[in-house]
Amino acid sequence: MTQQKIVQEIFLPSIHDGIRLEARLSYWKTKENVQEQEDKAVIISHPYGPLGGNNNNNVVVTVENFFLRKGYLTLAFNFRGSGKSKGRTSWTGEPENNDFRTMLNFLANSGKISDDNIVIIPKISGVIIIGYSYGSLMATSLTSSPTQYPFTTSFVLISLPLSVIWFLTFFRSSAYQTNLQNLLSSSSTRVLFIFGDSDQFTRASKYKQWIKDNNVLGNERWNVVELKGVDHFFVYQQMEDVLIDVIQKWLQVDSTSGSEN
């Protein structure tokens, strides 16, 4: 059959408190029976909602379109209080951690939202968890999930706001530092860590000190890329192009090495 692009707006109750969350689900239908096809997937999260972050952010959409062109199923969602998602942004980030986990559970449960609400999706063979800015901070919480998923997971962390974690999480920085340590100590999880040397929220020197203190460059599961002349917001097209080029190369390396990404 001819490939058909599927784009759906879906709503899922957060596992935290049932708050309705909005997500944009996209993939290419390649078989008449979608459940017979097998795809890799990405979940993409956005910057801080109170400052205008949502799943229509330029970086989110750029990354989403790239992976869709590569044949991935993409799930770009809105944290509580953003877009059409109900509720409001929390002080600590804990509800948002569970909002993120809700999306991962949706893929793990083959599109089942409830007994009478099932979204038909392909079988998922692997998931890349992608966080940008505030979303990257929330993404790190998924390393502490006790749930065993039926697919491999890897991470792409873009512009992690190291210097303002205290502000975004009401002084719960230690919890997120622990999440990062869990991710660093994982023996199987691959991570692409990207930051711009002109980031407005975290100086390049702060990133480099954190990388040095945690021996990140000595961790074979981590790839660290500093983008020259790139700010936090990727305000110019060429900045987005550089970002996609880095992700493309990471995928190629993983493919060559036999990774599941």
Side-chain angles (χ1 to χ4, degrees):
M1 64 169 288
T2 303
Q3 283 192 349
Q4 179 184 359
K5 184 179 180 180
I6 305 296
V7 180
Q8 296 175 260
E9 181 184 57
I10 62 174
F11 294 92
L12 302 87
S14 174
I15 62 172
H16 185 79
D17 54 9
I19 284 288
R20 190 179 78 158
L21 304 173
E22 176 195 19
R24 184 171 55 247
L25 171 70
S26 308
Y27 63 91
W28 289 99
K29 180 180 179 181
T30 59
K31 293 185 178 182
E32 287 294 343
N33 185 347
V34 171
Q35 292 171 309
E36 291 181 354
Q37 73 182 62
E38 186 172 294
D39 290 352
K40 297 174 183 177
V42 294
I43 305 175
I44 312 167
S45 59
H46 61 77
Y48 195 51
L51 296 182
N54 58 53
N55 69 350
N56 289 318
N57 169 269
N58 65 303
V59 173
V60 171
V61 172
T62 295
V63 171
E64 176 187 27
N65 288 339
F66 165 74
F67 276 99
L68 188 58
R69 291 194 301 270
K70 298 286 290 183
Y72 284 69
L73 177 148
T74 63
L75 190 60
F77 75 99
N78 279 318
F79 288 115
R80 60 189 54 228
S82 297
K84 295 180 183 178
S85 291
K86 299 298 184 180
R88 62 179 61 184
T89 303
S90 73
W91 287 105
T92 65
E94 182 178 353
E96 286 80 1
N97 295 342
N98 285 320
D99 293 349
F100 215 138
R101 194 168 287 112
T102 298
M103 302 301 149
L104 197 55
N105 289 353
F106 169 75
L107 296 181
N109 294 329
S110 302
K112 182 178 179 179
I113 298 174
S114 64
D115 288 340
D116 57 355
N117 187 3
I118 299 175
V119 179
I120 303 300
I121 62 172
K123 180 181 178 181
I124 303 302
S125 60
V127 175
I128 303 177
I129 297 165
I130 303 176
Y132 165 49
S133 188
Y134 174 80
S136 67
L137 190 60
M138 297 302 106
T140 64
S141 69
L142 298 182
T143 62
S144 61
S145 172
T147 306
Q148 296 297 312
Y149 293 104
F151 40 63
T152 60
T153 57
S154 54
F155 289 75
V156 176
L157 305 179
I158 305 168
S159 301
L160 183 74
L162 279 175
S163 291
V164 291
I165 293 177
W166 61 272
F167 169 77
L168 297 172
T169 63
F170 200 60
F171 300 99
R172 291 186 71 248
S173 299
S174 60
Y176 292 91
Q177 293 292 354
T178 297
N179 290 340
L180 282 166
Q181 290 303 317
N182 289 337
L183 197 52
L184 282 163
S185 62
S186 171
S187 61
S188 60
T189 304
R190 296 191 63 82
V191 179
L192 174 60
F193 186 88
I194 304 170
F195 67 95
D197 69 351
S198 299
D199 191 291
Q200 290 90 337
F201 297 106
T202 304
R203 293 174 181 266
S205 58
K206 172 73 172 182
Y207 282 120
K208 291 175 181 178
Q209 188 62 52
W210 181 83
I211 289 166
K212 179 181 179 181
D213 290 345
N214 291 279
N215 191 30
V216 179
L217 296 181
N219 190 324
E220 63 180 11
R221 309 296 295 181
W222 281 59
N223 289 79
V224 176
V225 179
E226 177 182 2
L227 303 181
K228 302 295 184 182
V230 173
D231 68 358
H232 188 84
F233 303 102
F234 294 82
V235 292
Y236 298 113
Q237 178 69 52
Q238 57 265 38
M239 295 182 180
E240 296 176 359
D241 293 343
V242 169
L243 172 64
I244 294 304
D245 184 58
V246 166
I247 296 174
Q248 170 74 54
K249 290 177 179 176
W250 181 68
L251 290 176
Q252 290 174 340
V253 169
D254 278 358
S255 175
T256 301
S257 64
S259 169
E260 295 294 330
N261 284 349

